């Protein structure tokens, strides 16, 4: 039974047509994240509450999110409650770390599954094991971002150790969810050929067979948490190919 007054703080809701034009995809950007990644492009997502911020360009205050109930989100996602008339084909939850607001996420995903709507969730994996396990059966497509393979290095660049993340990734591979593992390649943090080998050894041990690589253009200073966006050169094709080769040679 869905509790209609369960709510969450959402930064933004976007709706897009599917590539073939047959339906609509809704993306929910939930606030809150337990990680403090050096390169984070959206550090304002870390706080899970609505905050009053100042916009110096428009010279006025604004709220960086809004509280939505499960019922309100369902009505926004589903353009028609009649299955025969409905064009909504999928809902993606992202953040921040969407699973931080786990009660809301559980209620929403349960209802979407009951209605036959495809569900996807992007996660850092830094979620209590019990909460993660409870949500997994409700997720059709799990997009799992892995930040670093080495425990101490992970703590240095994100503020947390990766033990819980690795365990949740391992458990997700034996779930009904389609699991997509993604690596953000950050200059100076995890972009060397030896990093590719470190990731490959870790993921091979867990049982991951395929990985998506996402090169970043962000320059970060591993010694602190200050972001300097856009000051680094993007990966060249040769550099990316070398990383892919080092990775694939071990993960096969």
């Amino acid at each position: 039974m869905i509790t209609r007054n369960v709510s969450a703080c959402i930064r933004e809701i976007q709706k897009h047509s599917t590539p073939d034009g047959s339906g609509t995809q809704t993306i929910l950007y939930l606030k809150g994240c337990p990680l403090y990644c050096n390169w984070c492009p959206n550090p304002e997502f870390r706080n899970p509450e609505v905050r009053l911020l100042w916009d110096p360009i428009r010279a006025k205050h604004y709220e960086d999110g809004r509280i939505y109930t499960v019922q309100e989100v369902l009505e926004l996602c589903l353009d028609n409650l009649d299955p025969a008339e409905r064009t909504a084909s999928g809902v993606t939850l992202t953040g921040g770390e969407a699973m931080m607001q786990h009660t809301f996420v559980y209620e929403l995903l349960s209802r979407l599954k009951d209605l036959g709507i495809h569900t996807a969730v992007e996660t850092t994996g830094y979620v209590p094991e019990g909460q993660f396990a409870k949500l997994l059966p409700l997720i059709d497509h799990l997009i799992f971002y892995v930040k670093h393979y080495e425990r101490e290095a992970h703590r240095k660049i994100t503020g947390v150790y990766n033990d819980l993340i690795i365990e949740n990734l391992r458990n997700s591979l034996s779930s009904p969810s389609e699991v997509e593992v993604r690596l953000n390649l950050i200059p100076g943090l995890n972009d060397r050929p030896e990093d590719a080998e470190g990731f490959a050894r870790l993921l091979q041990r867990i049982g991951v067979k395929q990985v998506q690589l996402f090169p970043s253009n962000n320059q970060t200073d591993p010694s602190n948490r200050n972001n300097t966006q856009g000051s680094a050169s993007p990966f060249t094709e040769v550099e990316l190919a070398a990383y892919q080769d080092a990775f694939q040679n071990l993960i096969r």
Side-chain angles (χ1 to χ4, degrees), residues 187-247:
L189 294 182
N190 60 10
D191 62 331
R192 303 166 301 169
E194 52 264 44
D195 292 321
E197 294 175 4
F199 274 121
R201 290 191 181 96
L202 168 65
L203 298 176
Q204 184 182 52
R205 187 171 75 246
I206 295 173
V208 174
K209 302 297 184 184
Q210 189 172 5
V211 174
Q212 299 290 329
L213 303 180
F214 288 85
S216 170
N217 294 344
N218 297 344
Q219 179 67 43
T220 62
D221 177 4
S223 66
N224 60 49
R225 291 177 175 171
N226 295 323
N227 299 324
T228 306
Q229 302 286 341
S231 59
S233 300
F235 284 75
T236 66
E237 290 186 9
V238 173
E239 289 170 334
L240 185 57
Y243 196 99
Q244 290 172 326
D245 288 344
F247 194 91

Side-chain angles (χ1 to χ4, degrees), residues 8-233:
C9 183
I10 298 177
R11 174 68 184 268
E12 186 179 1
I13 298 177
Q14 296 180 356
K15 299 195 76 166
H16 305 278
S17 296
T18 54
D20 62 3
S22 63
T24 59
Q25 291 277 346
T26 303
I27 304 175
L28 308 179
Y29 294 84
L30 282 80
K31 290 198 63 187
C33 185
L35 274 58
Y36 284 80
C37 301
N38 297 337
W39 64 93
C40 181
N42 300 300
E44 66 276 9
F45 273 85
R46 291 171 184 156
N47 191 308
E49 301 176 350
V50 177
R51 297 182 301 166
L52 187 65
L53 303 179
W54 174 255
D55 184 340
I57 297 177
R58 295 183 294 174
K60 67 176 186 178
H61 287 93
Y62 69 98
E63 292 185 337
D64 69 340
R66 187 195 138 185
I67 301 299
Y68 289 86
T69 65
V70 169
Q71 188 63 26
E72 286 176 319
V73 171
L74 282 173
E75 291 172 0
L76 288 168
C77 294
L78 307 178
D79 51 356
N80 198 311
L81 295 179
D82 183 350
E85 301 294 331
R86 188 186 303 143
T87 61
S89 56
V91 175
T92 298
L93 308 186
T94 184
E97 172 52 68
M99 293 189 190
M100 269 190 72
Q101 304 194 65
H102 59 91
T103 301
F104 173 89
V105 170
Y106 179 81
E107 297 277 8
L108 178 61
L109 293 179
S110 296
R111 184 65 176 135
L112 291 170
K113 291 289 285 184
D114 288 343
L115 294 169
I117 303 297
H118 183 274
T119 60
V121 176
E122 294 188 338
T123 184
T124 66
Y126 195 73
V127 183
E129 283 188 58
Q131 294 174 9
F132 192 84
K134 185 177 179 181
L135 292 172
L136 268 179
L138 303 174
I139 301 171
D140 295 312
H141 184 193
L142 181 69
I143 303 167
F144 204 116
Y145 287 89
V146 180
K147 313 293 187 179
H148 207 283
Y149 55 92
E150 201 277 321
R151 186 173 187 267
E152 190 58 45
H154 194 284
R155 185 201 62 79
K156 184 176 180 180
I157 66 174
T158 70
V160 303
Y161 290 111
N162 63 359
D163 307 77
L164 176 61
I165 293 167
I166 292 170
E167 191 59 30
N168 280 334
L169 176 57
R170 190 195 315 273
N171 292 336
S172 71
L173 296 175
S174 59
S175 75
S177 303
E178 174 193 357
V179 181
E180 176 184 346
V181 177
R182 293 183 179 181
L183 304 183
N184 284 119
L185 305 186
I186 311 299
L189 294 182
N190 60 10
D191 62 331
R192 303 166 301 169
E194 52 264 44
D195 292 321
E197 294 175 4
F199 274 121
R201 290 191 181 96
L202 168 65
L203 298 176
Q204 184 182 52
R205 187 171 75 246
I206 295 173
V208 174
K209 302 297 184 184
Q210 189 172 5
V211 174
Q212 299 290 329
L213 303 180
F214 288 85
S216 170
N217 294 344
N218 297 344
Q219 179 67 43
T220 62
D221 177 4
S223 66
N224 60 49
R225 291 177 175 171
N226 295 323
N227 299 324
T228 306
Q229 302 286 341
S231 59
S233 300

